[in-house]
Amino acid sequence: EPEVTQTPSHQVTQMGQEVILRCVPISNHLYFYWYRQILGQKVEFLVSFYNNEISEKSEIFDDQFSVERPDGSNFTLKIRSTKLEDSAMYFCASTLVRLTGYGYTFGSGTRLTVV
Amino acid sequence: KQEVTQIPAALSVPEGENLVLNCSFTDSAIYNLQWFRQDPGKGLTSLLLIQSSQREQTSGRLNASLDKSSGRSTLYIAASQPGDSATYLCAVKEGDRSGGGADGLTFGKGTHLIIQP
């Protein structure tokens, strides 16, 4: 079964450093998403991406965050200057069709720890 | 702002029991509602999706219902098994002004379910 692959599975970084979280969505999917889950809290929507541009973003997704699809397979989330409160599990997801919601496939997540 | 609440936060039952997980949402203008399963160290697996015009969906031992007007959904698990142990998340996709759906899902905090062998 096709999978969404996220790397690394766990990343530890110093406060103020830049991090890039990587995702390989399912190859024929067209819509890509990042969500995060702070330990013990809800899964929260960050951003959606379609046709090489941001489709929608939440209020969490401020100027410190950016997304990119640098080639035909990778989808990245960059945090420019990490803060302690950025520590969370970050999930990538992709879907072929936006509105039905079917075909949402989530990756296993990257646990980001900011120290 | 949409808020999704799940009750109970945790549940432990013996194998074989039928059980019900509850989800409520504050804004009934949703596009659809999904139930996900989250296993430790793994991503989210979509279990059932109910469109706003539907009342229920079934998949195997799982049945999800939706009462949009009252802002409630339930996930019914029949004949529970130890392999059902996981966290179950409810998520809504909100409608937008054009009649389509917003991109992001709003999640509840989940129900942590343990099925005792």
Side-chain angles (χ1 to χ4, degrees):
Chain A
E1 177 144 351
E3 290 185 343
V4 172
T5 304
Q6 289 187 243
T7 56
S9 57
H10 190 190
Q11 180 154 0
V12 181
T13 189
Q14 297 265 348
M15 190 169 56
Q17 295 295 306
E18 173 184 287
V19 294
I20 297 176
L21 309 183
R22 302 181 191 277
C23 169
V24 178
I26 293 175
S27 59
N28 65 335
H29 282 187
L30 301 176
Y31 298 88
F32 314 112
Y33 309 85
W34 284 102
Y35 285 79
R36 80 171 185 188
Q37 185 177 31
I38 296 171
L39 188 64
Q41 302 300 314
K42 298 179 180 183
V43 176
E44 300 172 292
F45 169 71
L46 293 179
V47 66
S48 59
F49 192 86
Y50 170 69
N51 201 26
N52 282 321
E53 61 183 23
I54 289 174
S55 177
E56 187 177 312
K57 59 183 181 179
S58 72
E59 56 193 26
I60 301 169
F61 194 88
D62 61 22
D63 292 344
Q64 292 296 316
F65 292 90
S66 62
V67 289
E68 193 178 32
R69 190 155 161 82
D71 53 43
S73 59
N74 289 285
F75 179 50
T76 62
L77 174 69
K78 181 192 291 186
I79 308 176
R80 200 158 294 126
S81 176
T82 50
K83 305 171 195 157
L84 294 175
E85 54 264 37
D86 293 327
S87 295
M89 181 75 89
Y90 288 81
F91 293 106
C92 173
S94 69
T95 184
L96 178 61
V97 180
R98 172 177 169 263
L99 285 183
T100 66
Y102 277 111
Y104 261 107
T105 304
F106 279 80
S108 298
T110 292
R111 179 165 298 285
L112 177 65
T113 303
V114 183
V115 297
Chain B
K1 184 184 172 186
Q2 180 74 269
E3 293 286 339
V4 178
T5 303
Q6 292 188 245
I7 294 173
L11 184 63
S12 180
V13 300
E15 180 178 4
E17 283 201 7
N18 302 324
L19 50 98
V20 174
L21 309 182
N22 297 290
C23 171
S24 61
F25 46 95
T26 54
D27 187 344
S28 62
I30 65 169
Y31 190 81
N32 61 39
L33 182 145
Q34 277 184 278
W35 284 92
F36 290 88
R37 170 184 173 137
Q38 184 176 25
D39 292 283
K42 296 189 177 179
L44 311 177
T45 302
S46 181
L47 297 172
L48 288 165
L49 179 145
I50 310 176
Q51 301 291 355
S52 61
S53 58
Q54 297 175 322
R55 299 283 293 182
E56 67 177 335
Q57 282 288 333
T58 298
S59 176
R61 293 182 295 107
L62 305 180
N63 175 276
S65 68
L66 174 64
D67 184 342
K68 190 180 157 188
S69 60
S70 69
R72 293 181 183 176
S73 176
T74 61
L75 178 67
Y76 175 83
I77 303 177
S80 57
Q81 302 170 358
D84 295 330
S85 298
T87 297
Y88 290 81
L89 303 177
C90 169
V92 300
K93 179 187 274 281
E94 296 186 53
D96 62 20
R97 291 190 194 90
S98 65
D103 279 355
L105 300 179
T106 303
F107 282 83
K109 213 169 174 180
T111 293
H112 181 57
L113 177 64
I114 297 174
I115 307 298
Q116 306 153 12

